[in-house]
Amino acid sequence: SLGSAAWSDVSPRKCQGIMSRMLTLNDIWHSESSDYSEAEVLPDSFPSAPAEPLPEFLLEPEDAFIVKNRPVQLRCRASPATQIYFKCNGEWVNQNDHVTRESLDQLTGLVVREVDISVSRTQVEELFGLEDYWCQCVAWSSAGTTKSNCAYVRIAYLRKNFEQEPLGREVRLEQEVLLQCRPPEGMPAAEVDWLKNEDVIDPSQDPNFLITIDHDLIIKQARLSDTANYTCVARNVVARRRSSTATLIVYVSGGWSSWTEWSECNARCGRGWQRRTRSCTNPAPLNGGIFCEGPQVQRITCTTLCPVDGGWTEWAKWSACGTECTHWRSRECQAPPPINGGKHCSGSMMESKNCTEGLCARNKKVSIEHASHPLSPGMGVAVYTGLVVALLLTVVMALGVGVLAYRRRCRHLHGDITDSSSALTAAFHPGNYKPPRQDNPLHPSAPPDLTATAGAFRGPLFSLPQGINDSPHKIPMTTSPLLDPLPSLKIKVYNSSTLSSLELPADMGVGDGEILSLKSVGTVGREREFHSHTLSREPGLSTSATLGHLGGRLTIPNTGVSLLVPPGTIPQGKFYEMYLIINKWDKTTLPSEGSQTVLSPVVSCGPSSMLLNRPVVLTLPHCAQLDTPTPDWTLTLKTQTHQGAWEEVLTVGEETLSSPCYLQLEEECCHVLMEQLGTYGLVGQSCPPRPACKRLQLALFAPRAPCLSLDYSLRIYCIHDTPHALKEVLDLERSLGGVLLEDPKPLFFKDSYHNLRLSIHDIPHNHWRSKLLAKYQEIPFYHIWSGSQRPLHCTFSLERASLAVSQLACKICVRQVEGEGQIFQLHTDIQETLPPHSPLPSGSTCLPSSQVGPYAFRLPDSIRQKICASLDAPSARGCDWRLLARSLGFDRYLNYFATKPSPTGVLLDLWEACHQGDADLVSLATALEEMGKSEVLVVMTTDGDC
């Protein structure tokens, strides 16, 4: 036996060094044996046997893991082997801990030895250091020793928490999907499986799945069937862990089908609409996929030629009496002829009758004889007398027509002087002074003295050079407050084809002289005549004023529409009669097309041929909802050409240096800086992906007078949330005898293709009955969104049980389908005369319709000039007009102002327009103070009203 003391000095730490150490021990053992053999007496003879080979391991110990507290068994088997021992961590295992079994190999006759040992958790945990617990077998034979591989024994475990768990996702169809999973730390390392709805995923069965070496799951192309719950499962010999479930949703975004064919025009006669539709079914959105972007319905205008039914012309004269004793007359279906599918004339085209009053029927021979002889003397006289009378009537009628034409011509050529009020009320036509005829002895040719007339006149009188078609003596007169009364003004009108002059007092200042020395272009008269025929100037929808170099402001009260003409816009010495008109919806073509919607009233300002030295500011109210953090609107300003077509001027946010206008957008109105007068309107359309909203107003009206019948009606109007739209409905209801019951309610109307639904509820059925057969009424979406139907309303017709019923209480609900809504709580006495309820529309002020000269501006001209002189020049520190634009919020497109001779002046003009009615100089002074312009503040404090 081998003593353990001989091996105690040798304890290698590495299995690779054990072999050399054991060889050294083998040499020591042989040398000791030789020493013992010399000392002892050897036997006389030795048995002869073949030399044994080195031991060969038939079974080597394998790595093992201790699960919980269960020990592991290490086993090795070698042949031929006289001894086998385990050595763990460089130390020999006690011989008593070995379990040895010995057998004989039947084939080779060699001894086969097998040894087992048991390693506990305590042994492994007692090992200190960085190395793992290892064991190795050493086998001996007569030929030498052989060592096995090292087997490592480790304590098995698996942590509970995953290092990374898969996360749920929403992916589109056919998109590549990556679900990541990092299993918990463990010994041995955990194996990972993926579960799809609790079924194990096998990539060999479904090649669309791929599990990477890092345990991530890849879905190459997401299918609808891949919508499921996915779980990552980690397992080893100790435990099995499940990650949180990740839900994968494969969605399908909608796709439009092809457009249908255009429908027939819905109007049998005149202007109508054609529509075509498409559906979001190619494919249909699924699992929360995005709905198709764009309109589902397209509409275009169409014009159907109206069918005209034919009409008969007058009967022609009777023909001569024929041989058959009949004469004929005819007519044609040409008054008018049937066109465009109209009905043909009904009746006969020709008519005949007996021309001898039946004589031919009684005695045919007599009729023939009379027909062959000339007329009798009596009949000839009658014929000639009729001809003479007809000729005289013709002459008298011709003379009458000539006299009427002559009198009309005289009335056109000779008239009286009209005062300024009649000139303004007659659609801005100038008053005409017609001189007396030269050949009339009652009216001498000396110039009349009009001093008395001029003395009673307020405002300037002036003459204009004549246009081609104008009378040479037209003197426009206005009540403009440009000047104070001039009692000493004398007007001398000379009968000349080239001049109408004004004689001014000698002591008049130079400024007044400039104001009254008027020279205007010859096209003003022609434009005034053109617009007076084409534009609707109804009361409350228009205003006008005569403006010159000092500028002014035109305002249509209670509509939010105004035109600011800054000083210096009109050339020095020239005056124009400027106008501002809101076009009625039924008398103009709308600027919207396709999915666009009208957001402001269509406004005309002119004359359009004016040459402007600087931009004017047109203020338009709009109904676009703009308080969202993301832009939902694409806003476009359009202008109407002389041919009536609409053209885009600019799109907000897409301005370039060639843009002729600048648009300053506010929540309820917009201000347009422009240098060309004309007809303008603001339109918009939704900017994907979010639908835009329009601000609407809901106004409830009822009869103002006491109800004397059993029937009673309530009307609800759906209008744009602009002052002009509310004013239009109030005027309409006033003419119908209606009264507004309460303040209009706001409603946000989305571009969602859903109709507006109106319904009435909580009617006391024992006293009232609704005549509405359906549960609700609806206003089509497109009628509201297009803005072409004005004004839109629904009527709820009610009937009371008896005349004694006077109280009405109910609810009226108005909402957009799948959108917002409002509720009217109504409680009224229908037997009383309702008081008028006319709220002032939002954004309106009590400003006069026109302001001329310095009175139209809040900022004095002296302060304006000093601010411009201080900020127009570029500053190296950036403290110039650009900083002022940022302080006032006018910096959306600075290049527009940079192209102007005085950028600061244009900014101040825009500030005047934005603060109409509440232009407090404090806001401007605050902006200048933040810029450090103290010298300008001193001027504003001393000269202005700060």
Side-chain angles (χ1 to χ4, degrees):
S1 64
L2 182 61
S4 60
W7 297 92
S8 61
D9 296 334
V10 183
S11 58
R13 309 299 284 179
K14 300 293 183 181
C15 292
Q16 292 77 7
I18 294 177
M19 184 69 73
S20 60
R21 298 289 185 179
M22 294 301 296
L23 292 176
T24 303
L25 292 174
N26 190 30
D27 296 338
I28 294 174
W29 182 77
H30 279 290
S31 63
E32 292 179 351
S33 298
S34 62
D35 294 339
Y36 288 129
S37 62
E38 293 177 1
E40 297 178 357
V41 178
L42 297 177
D44 296 335
S45 62
F46 293 93
S48 61
E52 287 183 332
L54 286 173
E56 181 179 356
F57 282 96
L58 303 178
L59 177 65
E60 297 188 66
E62 296 179 350
D63 295 344
F65 295 94
I66 297 177
V67 179
K68 297 182 180 179
N69 292 322
R70 295 191 295 271
V72 297
Q73 299 292 327
L74 298 181
R75 176 177 300 174
C76 63
R77 182 187 308 123
S79 176
T82 57
Q83 293 291 339
I84 298 179
Y85 290 98
F86 271 95
K87 192 175 187 180
C88 294
N89 292 325
E91 296 182 0
W92 293 103
V93 178
N94 194 327
Q95 184 176 2
N96 297 330
D97 295 333
H98 291 72
V99 178
T100 305
R101 290 179 294 276
E102 185 176 335
S103 62
L104 186 65
D105 192 345
Q106 300 296 331
L107 296 178
T108 61
L110 299 178
V111 176
V112 177
R113 190 176 297 273
E114 184 178 280
V115 176
D116 293 342
I117 64 171
S118 177
V119 179
S120 66
R121 184 185 184 98
T122 304
Q123 291 177 269
V124 176
E125 290 177 344
E126 289 178 350
L127 176 66
F128 293 97
L130 299 177
E131 295 182 357
D132 292 329
Y133 191 94
W134 60 269
C135 292
Q136 184 181 36
C137 279
V138 180
W140 283 271
S141 70
S142 59
T145 61
T146 304
K147 300 177 182 178
S148 69
N149 293 330
C150 293
Y152 292 91
V153 180
R154 302 179 179 92
I155 298 176
Y157 66 92
L158 184 63
R159 306 287 186 197
K160 291 183 179 181
N161 297 326
F162 280 74
E163 295 182 4
Q164 183 175 3
E165 293 183 299
L167 301 177
R169 298 181 57 187
E170 294 183 1
V171 298
R172 67 176 183 273
L173 189 67
E174 297 182 354
Q175 178 181 342
E176 183 179 275
V177 184
L178 173 64
L179 297 178
Q180 293 182 322
C181 176
R182 296 293 180 268
E185 180 186 353
M187 180 63 67
E191 298 180 2
V192 174
D193 294 325
W194 281 91
L195 304 181
K196 174 184 176 182
N197 290 338
E198 302 303 324
D199 294 332
V200 178
I201 297 176
D202 187 1
S204 62
Q205 300 295 327
D206 190 347
N208 196 42
F209 292 101
L210 175 65
I211 300 178
T212 66
I213 192 173
D214 295 328
H215 311 298
D216 296 335
L217 176 65
I218 295 178
I219 303 177
K220 299 177 182 178
Q221 286 187 334
R223 303 160 296 189
L224 289 177
S225 59
D226 294 330
T227 299
N229 295 324
Y230 290 84
T231 308
C232 179
V233 178
R235 56 181 172 82
N236 65 3
V237 295
V238 178
R240 185 172 183 267
R241 311 290 188 199
R242 290 170 59 95
S243 69
S244 59
T245 299
T247 302
L248 179 67
I249 298 177
V250 181
Y251 65 84
V252 179
S253 295
W256 288 116
S257 63
S258 301
W259 287 104
T260 60
E261 297 294 330
W262 288 105
S263 65
E264 296 183 357
C265 195
N266 64 344
R268 180 178 178 271
C269 173
R271 182 180 178 183
W273 297 95
Q274 283 180 289
R275 67 191 300 268
R276 64 175 183 176
T277 60
R278 56 181 178 176
S279 59
C280 190
T281 56
N282 187 28
L286 190 64
N287 295 337
I290 301 175
F291 195 81
C292 303
E293 296 181 1
Q296 187 176 4
V297 180
Q298 278 188 348
R299 291 177 174 83
I300 59 174
T301 57
C302 57
T303 302
T304 304
L305 297 177
C306 297
V308 179
D309 296 337
W312 290 112
T313 60
E314 296 293 332
W315 285 104
K317 294 182 179 181
W318 288 104
S319 64
C321 196
T323 57
E324 299 296 328
C325 299
T326 58
H327 57 178
W328 299 81
R329 65 176 181 177
S330 62
R331 58 181 179 176
E332 295 182 354
C333 190
Q334 295 292 330
I339 57 175
N340 303 329
K343 296 179 180 179
H344 199 274
C345 304
S346 60
S348 60
M349 184 181 297
M350 301 188 67
E351 185 181 32
S352 65
K353 69 176 182 177
N354 194 298
C355 56
T356 60
E357 298 183 355
L359 296 178
C360 204
R362 291 194 304 269
N363 191 345
K364 195 172 184 179
K365 183 176 181 181
V366 173
S367 300
I368 295 174
E369 288 178 358
H370 280 286
S372 62
H373 285 81
L375 293 173
S376 64
M379 293 181 62
V381 172
V383 171
Y384 288 124
T385 302
L387 291 175
V388 171
V389 172
L391 183 60
L392 290 176
L393 289 175
T394 303
V395 172
V396 170
M397 291 178 63
L399 289 175
V401 171
V403 170
L404 289 175
Y406 179 76
R407 293 185 65 182
R408 173 171 294 185
R409 177 177 178 83
C410 292
R411 185 183 302 114
H412 178 69
L413 294 175
H414 307 289
D416 298 329
I417 298 177
T418 61
D419 62 6
S420 60
S421 61
S422 63
L424 287 178
T425 55
F428 317 120
H429 281 288
N432 297 330
Y433 169 73
K434 279 78 178 184
R437 297 177 58 186
Q438 300 293 336
D439 55 353
N440 192 339
L442 299 178
H443 300 279
S445 60
D449 188 359
L450 302 179
T451 306
T453 305
F457 208 76
R458 288 186 60 88
L461 296 107
F462 51 90
S463 63
L464 298 172
Q466 291 74 31
I468 299 175
N469 300 325
D470 292 345
S471 173
H473 299 286
K474 293 183 179 179
I475 304 178
M477 304 178 181
T478 75
T479 58
S480 170
L482 187 61
L483 293 178
D484 293 328
L486 303 175
S488 60
L489 179 64
K490 295 182 178 181
I491 303 177
K492 294 184 178 180
V493 184
Y494 297 95
N495 185 17
S496 170
S497 60
T498 59
L499 178 65
S500 296
S501 65
L502 301 176
E503 181 177 332
L504 305 176
D507 57 349
M508 180 171 287
V510 177
D512 295 337
E514 291 179 355
I515 292 175
L516 291 176
S517 300
L518 306 177
K519 289 182 66 177
S520 179
V521 294
T523 59
V524 173
R526 294 196 298 273
E527 286 201 8
R528 185 183 298 120
E529 180 179 357
F530 168 76
H531 283 284
S532 66
H533 287 81
T534 59
L535 298 177
S536 173
R537 300 189 178 184
E538 299 190 7
L541 297 180
S542 63
T543 184
S544 68
T546 301
L547 303 182
H549 183 71
L550 297 179
R553 190 194 303 262
L554 300 180
T555 302
I556 303 179
N558 299 333
T559 62
V561 177
S562 65
L563 178 67
L564 181 74
V565 183
T569 302
I570 300 176
Q572 184 78 31
K574 291 190 177 182
F575 279 70
Y576 290 91
E577 186 179 4
M578 302 187 67
Y579 59 84
L580 185 64
I581 302 173
I582 298 178
N583 297 340
K584 296 208 62 164
W585 298 96
D586 54 349
K587 296 182 180 180
T588 184
T589 58
L590 295 179
S592 59
E593 58 183 3
S595 59
Q596 292 179 338
T597 178
V598 181
L599 298 174
S600 75
V602 178
V603 175
S604 297
C605 53
S608 60
S609 61
M610 283 182 59
L611 299 178
L612 306 178
N613 291 338
R614 60 188 302 161
V616 298
V617 187
L618 176 64
T619 300
L620 299 174
H622 67 79
C623 60
Q625 178 65 15
L626 300 176
D627 61 354
T628 54
T630 57
D632 299 334
W633 285 99
T634 299
L635 301 176
T636 303
L637 181 69
K638 290 190 175 184
T639 185
Q640 192 174 28
T641 63
H642 292 292
Q643 292 76 20
W646 286 94
E647 296 179 349
E648 292 188 5
V649 179
L650 66 86
T651 298
V652 177
E654 301 179 5
E655 294 88 344
T656 61
L657 287 175
S658 61
S659 299
C661 299
Y662 175 84
L663 193 144
Q664 179 66 24
L665 198 61
E666 296 185 348
E667 287 189 6
E668 296 183 354
C669 65
C670 62
H671 309 278
V672 184
L673 283 163
M674 58 187 180
E675 299 183 38
Q676 177 64 49
L677 301 181
T679 301
Y680 291 89
L682 183 69
V683 301
Q685 61 184 6
S686 293
C687 181
R690 294 185 54 184
C693 285
K694 289 177 69 172
R695 290 181 289 106
L696 302 181
Q697 291 186 99
L698 304 173
L700 177 61
F701 289 86
R704 181 179 182 185
C707 182
L708 302 179
S709 65
L710 296 178
D711 294 333
Y712 192 76
S713 62
L714 299 170
R715 288 185 295 275
I716 295 185
Y717 288 83
C718 176
I719 56 177
H720 284 174
D721 188 8
T722 59
H724 160 64
L726 181 57
K727 180 179 182 295
E728 183 180 11
V729 172
L730 290 174
D731 294 342
L732 174 62
E733 278 294 323
R734 191 178 298 112
S735 64
L736 297 177
V739 62
L740 183 66
L741 294 182
E742 57 178 283
D743 288 341
K745 294 182 180 293
L747 177 70
F748 292 154
F749 191 79
K750 285 187 178 181
D751 183 12
S752 60
Y753 302 99
H754 292 298
N755 299 338
L756 188 69
R757 181 171 296 175
L758 302 92
S759 56
I760 187 167
H761 305 273
D762 298 345
I763 303 175
H765 295 287
N766 53 342
H767 298 300
W768 291 89
R769 182 182 67 86
S770 174
K771 293 185 177 181
L772 185 65
L773 299 179
K775 293 183 179 180
Y776 53 83
Q777 303 183 65
E778 284 191 349
I779 300 178
F781 166 81
Y782 188 74
H783 288 178
I784 299 176
W785 191 255
S786 67
S788 60
Q789 307 287 335
R790 294 294 181 99
L792 295 170
H793 76 279
C794 281
T795 301
F796 289 97
S797 298
L798 306 176
E799 183 180 8
R800 52 180 172 167
S802 66
L803 294 176
V805 178
S806 61
Q807 298 295 324
L808 174 61
C810 63
K811 292 181 182 179
I812 298 180
C813 300
V814 184
R815 70 178 183 90
Q816 186 181 14
V817 179
E818 298 186 9
E820 297 186 4
Q822 289 284 3
I823 297 178
F824 289 90
Q825 296 279 358
L826 180 62
H827 186 84
T828 183
D829 189 342
I830 66 173
Q831 299 293 3
E832 296 180 356
T833 301
L834 299 177
H837 185 92
S838 299
L840 190 66
S842 61
S844 63
T845 57
C846 299
L847 294 176
S849 60
S850 62
Q851 296 172 292
V852 180
Y855 302 103
F857 307 100
R858 185 72 178 86
L859 194 65
D861 187 61
S862 58
I863 297 179
R864 170 189 290 267
Q865 292 180 2
K866 292 179 180 178
I867 295 177
C868 293
S870 176
L871 299 180
D872 276 345
S875 172
R877 296 183 299 132
C879 188
D880 50 18
W881 64 269
R882 288 169 295 209
L883 184 56
L884 177 64
R886 284 190 286 270
S887 300
L888 298 178
F890 301 158
D891 57 339
R892 185 172 52 80
Y893 186 69
L894 292 176
N895 289 339
Y896 176 84
F897 302 97
T899 59
K900 305 305 175 187
S902 175
T904 309
V906 180
L907 289 172
L908 294 178
D909 296 339
L910 184 56
W911 176 83
E912 289 271 7
C914 292
H915 295 81
Q916 180 179 2
D918 63 345
D920 187 2
L921 292 182
V922 174
S923 61
L924 182 60
T926 303
L928 294 173
E929 183 179 6
E930 294 175 353
M931 296 173 60
K933 293 295 181 179
S934 57
E935 69 279 4
V936 180
L937 287 176
V938 173
V939 175
M940 295 183 64
T941 305
T942 55
D943 297 347
D945 182 15
C946 197

